[in-house]
Amino acid sequence: MNPSNRDFAKGCPMSIFHRALDRLADFIWTGRKVDLRFTAEYRTACYAVPIIKKLLAEGADGDAYRVALIPWHEAERPPHATYEGDTSRCRIDGPLQEAGTHWLPLGGLILSPGVTAHLDPFEARALHEKMQQAIEAVIRTWVRDHDLAAGPSVPEHFDRRRADRKAKAMIAAWASENVAAALPFDPDNADKCCSGEHADAPCSACRKGPGRD
């Protein structure tokens, strides 16, 4: 079916029936595979193909990439930058527009409890600059407070497999400690593991729980 006939068929009862079947198939066969074909200019494809592969990846990585792009689907314009707090967020809308020696966003959006505000290009640029200044200040403060400048310089890229394994082990240990700390303290059984010492809080052995050294 050529494009013109396909457009004409969109309003036909049979086309509506086919779309209903497609939706039903999506519901039943959520794990089915589909073939995707794209046509793009060569330079665009060089950038797009690696991104597409990451978005289509199965597992936690693919899920994380797809979740990160949710704001793209919510926005009417391509987001140039987004900043999020606990309950508020703002978006700076692209594409950036050249204005003499300056580049301005097309607008922006602020979402905060009880507030939804659209920004004009100049308001969006001013907010964008303030957010960048605030982020720069926080990063530099963190660097200073943790004396990061005194340490050796390290490569930006790292061994993903080894770094993930180490990070997950740290998270598991932290979670285990928090679970143990949340366990209720039974003073009636304290003498059994605390060598008869009386205290208002469990010792480290109590917190680790039974069967753990």
Side-chain angles (χ1 to χ4, degrees), residues 16-36:
I16 296 173
F17 176 71
H18 286 161
R19 292 202 300 273
L21 286 179
D22 284 340
R23 286 195 294 270
L24 179 61
D26 288 338
F27 176 76
I28 297 176
W29 297 306
T30 54
R32 67 176 181 172
K33 302 289 185 178
V34 297
D35 292 327
L36 301 177

Side-chain angles (χ1 to χ4, degrees), residues 77 80 90-97 103-110 116-129:
R77 297 173 176 143
H80 173 65
C90 68
R91 186 184 72 223
I92 309 300
D93 293 337
L96 296 182
Q97 304 297 300
W103 290 86
L104 275 73
L106 285 174
L109 174 71
I110 290 179
T116 300
H118 293 277
L119 308 177
D120 65 32
F122 304 100
E123 292 171 333
R125 181 181 66 169
L127 177 59
H128 184 41
E129 291 176 350

Side-chain angles (χ1 to χ4, degrees), residues 19-114:
R19 292 202 300 273
L21 286 179
D22 284 340
R23 286 195 294 270
L24 179 61
D26 288 338
F27 176 76
I28 297 176
W29 297 306
T30 54
R32 67 176 181 172
K33 302 289 185 178
V34 297
D35 292 327
L36 301 177
R37 294 181 180 274
F38 302 95
T39 301
E41 195 273 336
Y42 175 77
R43 292 182 180 178
T44 301
C46 290
Y47 288 100
V49 169
I51 297 175
I52 293 172
K53 288 182 177 180
K54 290 183 177 181
L55 290 175
L56 297 180
E58 297 182 1
D61 277 15
D63 290 340
Y65 282 120
R66 289 186 288 273
V67 169
L69 292 188
I70 288 177
W72 289 23
H73 297 284
E74 295 178 344
E76 289 78 12
R77 297 173 176 143
H80 173 65
T82 56
Y83 304 101
E84 295 189 15
D86 290 336
T87 58
S88 303
R89 66 185 177 96
C90 68
R91 186 184 72 223
I92 309 300
D93 293 337
L96 296 182
Q97 304 297 300
E98 185 175 7
T101 58
H102 301 279
W103 290 86
L104 275 73
L106 285 174
L109 174 71
I110 290 179
L111 296 175
S112 193

Side-chain angles (χ1 to χ4, degrees), residues 172-173 175-181 183 204-213:
S176 179
E177 291 177 0
N178 277 269
V179 170
L183 291 176
S204 59
C206 292
R207 290 189 183 280
K208 289 181 179 179
R212 296 189 60 187
D213 299 327

